[in-house]
Amino acid sequence: MLDKTYCPEKVEAKHYERWEKSGAFSADPNSPSDPYTIMMPPPNVTGNLHMGHALTFTLQDVLVRYKRMKGHDVLWQPGTDHAGIATQMVVERQLAEKGISRHDLGREKFLNSVWEWKEESGGAIVKQLRHLGASADWPRERFTMDEGLSEAVRKVFVQLHKEGLIYKDKRLVNWDPKLLTAISDLEVVQKESNGKLWHFRYPIDGEDGKYIVVATTRPETMLGDTGVAVHPDDDRYKDLIGKNVKLPIVGRLIPIVADEYADPETGSGAVKITPAHDFNDFEVGRRCNLEMINVFDKFAHINENAPDDYQGLDRFVARKKIVAKFEELGLLDKIDDHLNSVPYGDRSNVPVEPWLTDQWYVDAATLAKPALEAVETGKTEIVPKQWENTYYDWMRNIQPWCVSRQLWWGHQIPAWYGPDGEIFVEETEEEAKAAALAHFGKEVELIRDPDVLDTWFSSALWPFSTIGWPETTKELERYYPGDVLVTGFDIIFFWVARMMMMGMHFMKEVPFKTVYIHALVRDENGQKMSKSKGNVIDPLEVISEYSCDALRFTLAAMAAPGRDIKLASSRVEGYRNFGTKLWNASIYSQMNGAVYDPGFDPLSCNEPINKWIVGRVAAATAAVDKALDDYRFNDAANALYRFFWNEYCDWYVEFTKPVLAAGNEATNSETKATIAWVLAQTLHLLHPIMPYITEELWENLGNEGATPLISSSWPKFDERHTDANVDKEMDWVIKLISDIRATRAELNTPPKLKAPLLLKDGSDVVKAKVDQYKDVVKWLAGLSSVDFTDEDLPQGAIQIVLDDATFALPLEGIIDAEQETARLNKEMEKTLEEIAKIDKQLSNENFVSRAPEHVVEEKKARREEFMSVKTKLDEALARIANL
């Protein structure tokens, strides 16, 4: 017998270990079955499971378990990312605690320390993914710094360079002056701060006393100004275009240029241009052929390109000194308070600088064309479709991709420099030496580029490098392209687009047929989770408290396409209760001797209630199939919830009680077999979302030693399993019982007090149905009797009309009409007060304009709920009045 309660802590580790040891997660390249591939977005090796991981990996696991049960040969390719900056910082912090820096060790010894850390402590997240139930093919686990992947990275870099698609250029990058490296846009966070907007007067050269006013939030950059831009149609400045201003402090003459970047409606309409320290200014500088002067060193200190008095100063010290000098010169026009959005490095937590430096770039615009065409023509479909526009926008406006990083941990760039600066890009040092020998005609010393590649470069090759490329392997031929990629919208550009570009270029085929984009998991108030807000929900803690299955079902049930998930512990608790319901229904099955028979044929059922539930199982299966095939995880979860809780437990199980109590041997035998069969099908359908409790129940309901649920076949049904006449008949019975229950509830009839039910002037068909289901109706509606009558209905009988049949509940003596009227009027009064309170808020323009959108929508939904209550109270009062 099953234990009285389900104990997930005893079950989860046991089943996961069995699944993994049995090879249930493994793909088989020699299988005759159709392949199904999902590439796991590789989490950072430094990472810990957060709720975003829990969502994306739950959804992937639901798909792979579903497809395995459908008979596919499934490859869920796992792995982790080396996470360049994050990993290097972890190890550097550990060394700092011992008073050692990476420079003390040198590059080789430092990298050895990183590898040691990776082997000992890295990959904790992989263990946590197992705890979540992720059924990936773990023996195939890859790491983006594996030798095989490293070979792929070198080959791609060299080939793209030889094709002219990778090159070195001097451009602006996001420079982190603490970590001393370029970083990607994804590693930059914008922080708002109360700052200043300084308005400076720049003297017009040769015109004493005449100035042009520019405004800036970063006075320190004015040392590198090489122009002032005005809009070509701005009449105020047309006569100044082509003239020069004398740059204060520096004394350099810089031109006034016409460019549409200058907005006549903002400030003075004139903009200082610092091409080496602002991304917009960089583009203006290129268009207007302005000089690019870098006035910062790598530490964001003023360098040798500025006047002597400022050299060596920290940027913010220089700012104060420059503002003071402008004031002293009488060139400070005014200072405004200003809300600044300042870019910070997400790991260093210091303001980053746009910095002009030599870096390696990928010609992303060229690579983007076939990747863009692939989505436009439907070779790859993005779900929900709305994200296609985001993809198009990024790909059509794509900029050169900076792929070099000034780090030690990562894929070192395969480029070597000769004594004259000539660059030799080859896969190995030997090949570089051979190329240098051919170029110089003699052996020369080569120095390797110290930079490493952006982490996203190796991740872009993930769909094919993990399964053998550049070698030709069975896996590569069988599992590329993948079927679906499941990921968040925040990395559509950084990862999805780049995998598309690399896949199209090197494999000549899209890396995946579908990209499913899921939303964010937020807190219950719709706020983004962050440590600073203190609203982070730890999935491991949720699993510990409520079970892994409860968390997985919650995430699936709330994963509506295009809608963020507002996660509250109460929702997880509710789905834990669903698991408890499943457990208790299984106990009911055992207690009644309902044992699953694999040979049972549901088409052999004769009893209407059994035929009906077979049809409901078939309908639920069809709904889940369609939902999962369409990536509507919420629809799948909710279909299962409704079927099991509402149809199976609330109705079918209750229908079986009077049937089993009647003691008819043939009917009992069929009903018990059906109970067990339906429960077995339910466990199959629920398994992809709730793998642990379903596997435990499957094993304990007479299937020990049988094929585990994870390896079982998905239920299959056809039109023979649904009897439309039985469905219609049972729906009628359910409607009758529901109407009786609702009427009794409205009139506050005590459940223990049995009321009689009368059918007046019913047709023969209705009478036959009532007679057939009399025991069930009495049992479930709390009735003392069910009778037919042709006489007038008793005084005070409550009438219920169903399909032209009139039923009556004589309630005289069962309820106190006067007392019940008073109670209903009191409830009505409270309900009207609540409606009035909400109406007052919603009619307040100040409230509606200031409140978050979700709060206003919740108020409207709450009003609808109260209006529904009011309608029911009106109906109940009308019924009472007729007593």
Side-chain angles (χ1 to χ4, degrees):
M1 282 292 291
L2 287 165
D3 292 340
K4 188 176 180 181
T5 57
Y6 174 57
C7 297
E9 62 274 10
K10 294 180 181 178
V11 166
E12 292 173 357
K14 174 186 75 174
H15 284 300
Y16 196 91
E17 185 178 354
R18 286 181 186 173
W19 292 330
E20 190 168 7
K21 282 184 177 178
S22 74
F25 304 163
S26 300
D28 178 7
N30 298 310
S31 170
S33 302
D34 291 337
Y36 182 83
T37 309
I38 294 184
M39 287 290 162
M40 177 184 288
N44 286 353
V45 71
T46 59
N48 284 300
L49 194 71
H50 56 63
M51 203 53 82
H53 289 132
L55 173 62
T56 192
F57 291 117
T58 291
L59 299 185
Q60 290 171 69
D61 194 52
V62 168
L63 288 174
V64 300
R65 287 177 183 269
Y66 168 65
K67 290 295 184 178
R68 282 195 200 103
M69 295 177 78
K70 294 278 276 188
H72 290 267
D73 168 37
V74 173
L75 171 62
W76 187 12
Q77 175 63 53
T80 51
D81 190 278
H82 65 279
I85 293 178
T87 304
Q88 181 159 319
M89 284 183 66
V90 167
V91 178
E92 284 198 75
R93 276 197 298 266
Q94 291 181 347
L95 291 173
E97 291 172 3
K98 301 173 185 176
I100 304 171
S101 76
R102 64 181 164 116
H103 300 285
D104 295 331
L105 291 178
R107 186 170 190 141
E108 186 176 348
K109 288 185 178 178
F110 174 74
L111 291 178
N112 288 337
S113 296
V114 181
W115 279 107
E116 287 172 10
W117 173 86
K118 191 264 178 185
E119 293 304 318
E120 293 172 12
S121 308
I125 194 167
V126 170
K127 296 175 184 174
Q128 293 165 351
L129 287 174
R130 284 176 160 89
H131 200 37
L132 185 67
S135 58
D137 193 345
W138 294 113
R140 295 181 182 276
E141 183 183 346
R142 304 303 301 270
F143 179 55
T144 49
M145 291 277 285
D146 283 351
E147 180 46 45
L149 272 70
S150 296
E151 180 187 352
V153 167
R154 291 191 296 269
K155 184 174 182 65
V156 165
F157 188 95
V158 172
Q159 183 174 325
L160 289 177
H161 181 265
K162 291 186 186 307
E163 293 172 355
L165 296 173
I166 281 186
Y167 55 91
K168 206 160 190 187
D169 194 11
K170 188 181 288 290
R171 295 178 63 92
L172 284 190
V173 295
N174 297 307
W175 183 261
D176 191 311
K178 181 178 179 181
L179 299 180
L180 304 181
T181 181
I183 60 176
S184 74
D185 290 342
L186 193 64
E187 294 159 321
V188 176
V189 292
Q190 299 292 333
K191 295 186 179 181
E192 288 192 343
S193 64
N194 293 317
K196 302 292 183 184
L197 184 65
W198 288 271
H199 298 257
F200 293 153
R201 296 172 184 155
Y202 282 10
I204 307 296
D205 183 48
E207 300 185 25
D208 288 346
K210 194 169 181 181
Y211 307 93
I212 191 167
V213 175
V214 298
T216 181
T217 59
R218 300 200 303 149
E220 62 276 15
T221 65
M222 61 78 50
L223 299 173
D225 284 359
T226 59
V228 172
V230 297
H231 196 279
D233 298 329
D234 193 334
D235 291 335
R236 293 171 296 176
Y237 301 118
K238 279 189 174 179
D239 62 325
L240 294 180
I241 295 171
K243 295 184 178 181
N244 294 323
V245 298
K246 190 170 186 179
L247 186 62
I249 299 177
V250 179
R252 185 168 61 243
L253 291 180
I254 60 175
I256 298 172
V257 298
D259 194 277
E260 292 184 353
Y261 170 64
D263 181 3
E265 304 299 321
T266 301
S268 67
V271 186
K272 62 185 279 304
I273 302 299
T274 322
H277 297 293
D278 183 276
F279 288 102
N280 290 315
D281 291 7
F282 178 80
E283 298 301 331
V284 175
R286 284 202 161 183
R287 287 195 295 268
C288 298
N289 200 29
L290 298 178
E291 190 178 0
M292 299 195 182
I293 301 175
N294 190 347
V295 294
F296 290 149
D297 64 15
K298 63 182 180 179
F299 300 102
H301 293 169
I302 306 301
N303 67 15
E304 68 281 359
N305 293 329
D308 293 346
D309 288 352
Y310 298 86
Q311 290 179 20
L313 294 180
D314 175 83
R315 53 185 160 166
F316 299 119
V317 174
R319 173 182 295 182
K320 292 179 182 178
K321 188 169 182 176
I322 287 166
V323 171
K325 188 65 175 178
F326 265 86
E327 191 166 21
E328 178 188 323
L329 295 171
L331 298 176
L332 180 60
D333 189 66
K334 63 176 178 175
I335 304 174
D336 293 331
D337 290 330
H338 188 73
L339 185 63
N340 289 334
S341 183
V342 181
Y344 276 74
D346 66 346
R347 292 186 175 86
S348 65
N349 200 33
V350 300
V352 298
E353 285 292 342
W355 197 49
L356 190 65
T357 179
D358 290 310
Q359 301 285 349
W360 288 94
Y361 288 89
V362 171
D363 179 359
T366 298
L367 291 177
K369 288 174 185 175
L372 183 61
E373 184 264 346
V375 175
E376 289 173 335
T377 58
K379 293 174 186 172
T380 292
E381 180 186 9
I382 297 179
V383 180
K385 197 172 180 65
Q386 69 205 50
W387 290 110
E388 284 185 2
N389 290 331
T390 302
Y391 178 84
Y392 292 150
D393 184 55
W394 279 334
M395 296 296 265
R396 289 167 182 160
N397 296 285
I398 200 164
Q399 297 296 308
W401 172 18
C402 175
V403 292
S404 46
R405 299 290 182 265
Q406 290 63 56
L407 303 170
W408 286 357
W409 173 245
H411 294 280
Q412 192 170 353
I413 289 174
W416 286 261
Y417 298 91
D420 61 353
E422 184 70 24
I423 305 175
F424 301 94
V425 175
E426 302 291 346
E427 291 186 46
T428 66
E429 186 172 6
E430 290 69 28
E431 290 173 347
K433 286 180 177 177
L437 179 61
H439 177 78
F440 292 109
K442 61 179 179 179
E443 290 189 359
V444 297
E445 183 183 4
L446 296 179
I447 298 174
R448 186 167 185 178
D449 194 313
D451 290 354
V452 300
L453 286 164
D454 175 14
T455 299
W456 296 106
F457 190 92
S458 50
S459 296
L461 316 182
W462 189 252
F464 52 91
S465 65
T466 51
I467 49 178
W469 191 90
E471 303 298 322
T472 301
T473 64
K474 280 185 179 181
E475 286 82 359
L476 192 63
E477 291 179 0
R478 181 167 175 78
Y479 301 116
Y480 188 95
D483 288 87
V484 61
L485 177 78
V486 179
T487 189
F489 66 82
D490 52 336
I491 55 174
I492 292 175
F493 175 68
F494 291 95
W495 191 44
V496 177
R498 287 164 180 174
M499 284 190 288
M500 289 287 288
M501 290 191 286
M502 293 300 193
M504 292 298 293
H505 193 77
F506 289 94
M507 299 297 294
K508 310 305 178 189
E509 196 172 358
V510 295
F512 19 73
K513 297 158 193 166
T514 303
V515 179
Y516 173 75
I517 304 293
H518 61 71
L520 286 177
V521 185
R522 299 180 179 272
D523 71 9
E524 59 187 302
N525 298 312
Q527 298 296 310
K528 190 171 181 179
M529 293 186 196
S530 70
K531 291 178 182 177
S532 61
K533 291 179 182 174
N535 64 345
V536 172
I537 302 173
D538 185 338
L540 297 175
E541 290 179 5
V542 174
I543 289 172
S544 178
E545 184 171 359
Y546 297 109
S547 83
C548 179
D549 290 321
L551 175 61
R552 287 170 60 111
F553 201 99
T554 304
L555 293 171
M558 299 183 75
R563 190 186 309 158
D564 286 347
I565 293 173
K566 296 178 187 176
L567 188 64
S569 58
S570 60
R571 294 299 295 264
V572 188
E573 185 177 11
Y575 290 119
R576 181 190 61 184
N577 295 342
F578 178 73
T580 301
K581 190 83 168 176
L582 181 63
W583 191 264
N584 290 339
S586 302
I587 291 176
Y588 172 80
S589 176
Q590 278 192 338
M591 288 174 61
N592 283 281
V595 179
Y596 175 61
D597 176 6
F600 173 74
D601 181 5
L603 295 175
S604 67
C605 291
N606 294 309
E607 288 299 311
I609 62 167
N610 295 330
K611 285 185 173 184
W612 173 75
I613 198 63
V614 168
R616 301 322 300 151
V617 171
T621 303
V624 174
D625 276 336
K626 181 170 184 358
L628 291 182
D629 290 342
D630 292 343
Y631 306 103
R632 300 189 71 90
F633 299 92
N634 60 314
D635 288 348
N638 292 327
L640 287 166
Y641 188 99
R642 285 192 302 272
F643 161 72
F644 181 71
W645 195 296
N646 301 133
E647 295 177 336
Y648 181 76
C649 292
D650 285 355
W651 291 110
Y652 179 69
V653 167
E654 295 303 317
F655 287 156
T656 65
K657 289 177 180 177
V659 172
L660 295 176
N664 181 291
E665 187 176 340
T667 303
N668 279 14
S669 177
E670 178 190 301
T671 302
K672 288 178 181 180
T674 307
I675 290 171
W677 177 85
V678 174
L679 191 57
Q681 306 315 303
T682 303
L683 296 178
H684 281 72
L685 295 174
L686 279 168
H687 179 77
I689 302 178
M690 304 181 84
Y692 290 116
I693 192 171
T694 53
E695 193 73 89
E696 180 70 6
L697 287 171
W698 176 250
E699 183 181 290
N700 280 277
L701 292 174
N703 298 296
E704 191 169 1
T707 302
L709 205 53
I710 191 175
S711 302
S712 297
S713 296
W714 188 254
K716 288 182 181 178
F717 301 100
D718 55 43
E719 65 278 358
R720 296 173 303 156
H721 292 90
T722 302
D723 187 320
N725 291 327
V726 168
D727 277 359
K728 187 176 180 181
E729 192 170 280
M730 292 308 301
D731 287 346
W732 186 89
V733 173
I734 289 170
K735 181 72 165 61
L736 175 60
I737 296 168
S738 299
D739 285 354
I740 296 169
R741 285 175 169 178
T743 301
R744 291 181 58 125
E746 286 169 9
L747 300 177
N748 206 28
T749 309
K752 290 182 179 180
L753 290 179
K754 305 296 183 183
L757 180 71
L758 297 175
L759 168 60
K760 178 177 171 57
D761 302 330
S763 67
D764 290 342
V765 173
V766 171
K767 286 179 179 178
K769 282 195 284 192
V770 171
D771 198 49
Q772 182 177 0
Y773 296 103
K774 182 168 27 177
D775 291 342
V776 168
V777 174
K778 280 172 60 179
W779 173 270
L780 294 178
L783 304 173
S784 58
S785 61
V786 177
D787 295 304
F788 306 140
T789 183
D790 294 325
E791 299 176 3
D792 291 339
L793 294 173
Q795 182 68 29
I798 301 297
Q799 295 185 22
I800 300 169
V801 178
L802 178 61
D803 292 345
D804 297 326
T806 301
F807 294 87
L809 285 171
L811 296 178
E812 190 175 7
I814 294 178
I815 64 169
D816 184 324
E818 188 176 333
Q819 183 181 342
E820 194 55 28
T821 301
R823 182 187 70 82
L824 291 170
N825 280 326
K826 193 171 183 180
E827 281 191 36
M828 179 66 82
E829 189 179 330
K830 288 180 182 177
T831 301
L832 292 173
E833 284 177 4
E834 291 294 337
I835 293 171
K837 192 186 300 181
I838 294 173
D839 284 344
K840 186 177 179 181
Q841 287 180 306
L842 292 177
S843 63
N844 184 336
E845 289 185 15
N846 195 34
F847 169 79
V848 173
S849 62
R850 291 191 177 186
E853 185 179 345
H854 74 272
V855 171
V856 175
E857 291 304 314
E858 285 167 6
K859 291 285 182 187
K860 290 179 180 177
R862 190 79 175 128
R863 187 186 189 281
E864 289 301 314
E865 290 173 13
F866 280 121
M867 287 301 295
S868 177
V869 171
K870 178 184 178 299
T871 300
K872 289 181 179 178
L873 289 171
D874 281 332
E875 292 172 355
L877 283 165
R879 291 180 192 274
I880 288 286
N882 291 327
L883 282 178

